[in-house]
Amino acid sequence: MIDYHIHTLLCNHAVGGIRSYVDAAVRAGLTEICFLEHFTLDRTSTAHSMAPGEVPFYVYAVREMKEAYKDRITIRTGLEVDFCPEAVPALTEIIDRFEFDLIGCSIHFVDGINIASRRNASAIPDKDFDALCRRYVERVRQMVETPFFDVVCHLDVIKKSGRPLPADVEKGLAEVIDIMAQQNLALEVNTGGLAHPAKDYYPSEALIARAVTQEVPLTTGSDAHKAQAVGAGIPAAMNTLRNLGVTHLARFDRRQRILVPMDTQPTPQESQ
Ligand SMILES: [Zn+2]
Ligand SMILES: [Zn+2]
């Protein structure tokens, strides 16, 4: 099992030392993990992200863990980049200086609104929420058409508060999957939403099924912001993926994608 979406305290909203996440991953029986720390150059969201000056420290800290745990677990270094079209050249310059295994992309802010905040979502009237979802899909479309990233993280996270998405937004997200297939992007099956009011994977099973049909490679990630959440929901996700006919998952080594067969044995359900 792999957990390809783990944060560290460098993003200012996760807790615990980096080693505690690795220990939790080993305990959870994971064979491979990827740290995917938030990184943005967009001024709206820098408070939730590692700062550019912290990147060398982050890369060094993960490298130290890779070495210390190399007999027990494979550890990868990645970033969850908040998509901001104007910042792509500057981001590329910073990222290319280091040996990252994986660059994920996601959108947390639309027109200055943190769409991944439950408090914000419940304060928005229905009509405005629908309009916000449409602007979100436009940004996502622009993101997947930008040739720089490896994996799209939590594709439909805008449903986090549990509010249903308008039908045209669902359709727009399905079209995004089709663009991802053309752009050779992988899709993350993010289990973080199982613990949110959405009570679902990001993205939904219908969108994952479309990705499977379109042969979009998949990763699995918990989006852990605390050690106890590492690996949460991954066994359930593996079962869901098997039922959809998925046989391989994507892994990344220095930004080269490798397709690895999923475990052949069904994964026991997690104890709650
Ligand atoms: Zn976060
Ligand atoms: Zn995120």
Side-chain angles (χ1 to χ4, degrees):
M1 285 191 299
I2 66 167
D3 186 343
Y4 256 40
H5 195 145
I6 298 177
H7 291 280
T8 74
L9 43 72
L10 287 171
C11 67
N12 308 316
H13 62 279
V15 291
I18 189 164
R19 189 180 287 272
S20 68
Y21 288 80
V22 180
D23 286 335
V26 172
R27 277 199 303 276
L30 298 167
T31 52
E32 187 165 328
I33 57 170
C34 183
F35 283 98
L36 208 65
E37 192 53 291
H38 290 285
F39 191 56
T40 183
L41 295 177
D42 181 348
R43 285 215 196 98
T44 330
S45 51
T46 45
H48 304 273
S49 156
M50 172 167 63
E54 290 170 323
V55 175
F57 171 76
Y58 169 65
V59 172
Y60 175 78
V62 177
R63 194 186 298 152
E64 205 177 35
M65 289 296 112
K66 277 186 194 199
E67 193 50 36
Y69 285 77
K70 65 175 182 225
D71 298 332
R72 283 171 277 177
I73 188 166
T74 303
I75 302 176
R76 306 284 186 196
T77 320
L79 292 174
E80 179 186 1
V81 171
D82 228 295
F83 177 65
C84 171
E86 311 82 60
V88 170
L91 273 168
T92 311
E93 204 178 299
I94 295 171
I95 289 169
D96 284 354
R97 267 187 246 148
F98 301 93
E99 206 165 64
F100 283 106
D101 292 306
L102 165 63
I103 305 297
C105 58
S106 62
I107 288 165
H108 299 97
F109 286 83
V110 177
D111 302 339
I113 298 168
N114 184 351
I115 55 106
S117 152
R118 275 171 260 177
R119 203 180 33 216
N120 283 355
S122 45
I124 301 170
D126 283 347
K127 178 173 66 63
D128 297 345
F129 178 71
D130 290 359
L132 186 70
C133 288
R134 289 183 188 114
R135 290 199 298 279
Y136 171 76
V137 173
E138 272 320 300
R139 284 299 287 275
V140 171
R141 190 187 292 265
Q142 197 182 2
M143 176 173 83
V144 299
E145 283 170 346
T146 303
F148 178 65
F149 306 107
D150 303 311
V151 177
V152 174
C153 302
H154 52 63
L155 176 65
D156 63 0
V157 71
I158 196 152
K159 74 182 180 193
K160 186 173 184 174
S161 64
R163 278 170 101 154
L165 301 180
D168 61 303
V169 167
E170 293 280 9
K171 188 165 170 282
L173 290 169
E175 287 164 10
V176 164
I177 300 267
D178 301 350
I179 300 169
M180 287 173 61
Q182 290 157 18
Q183 298 284 94
N184 199 23
L185 275 162
L187 175 73
E188 172 192 82
V189 176
N190 185 309
T191 58
L194 298 174
H196 299 156
K199 291 195 172 48
D200 196 10
Y201 302 116
Y202 302 129
S204 64
E205 208 172 312
L207 290 170
I208 299 170
R210 187 165 185 120
V212 174
T213 311
Q214 297 277 11
E215 297 182 357
V216 171
L218 305 173
T219 65
T220 51
S222 66
D223 216 338
H225 287 72
K226 56 184 179 196
Q228 303 92 291
V230 171
I234 303 284
M238 295 283 278
N239 285 333
T240 302
L241 295 180
R242 273 191 206 96
N243 291 338
L244 289 172
V246 177
T247 56
H248 290 65
L249 287 180
R251 303 192 187 185
F252 289 83
D253 181 10
R254 283 161 285 186
R255 305 199 66 189
Q256 294 297 310
R257 192 169 71 207
I258 318 151
L259 285 178
V260 178
M262 282 169 58
D263 314 347
T264 44
Q265 292 300 312
T267 313
Q269 284 294 323
E270 287 166 293
S271 49
Q272 294 299 309

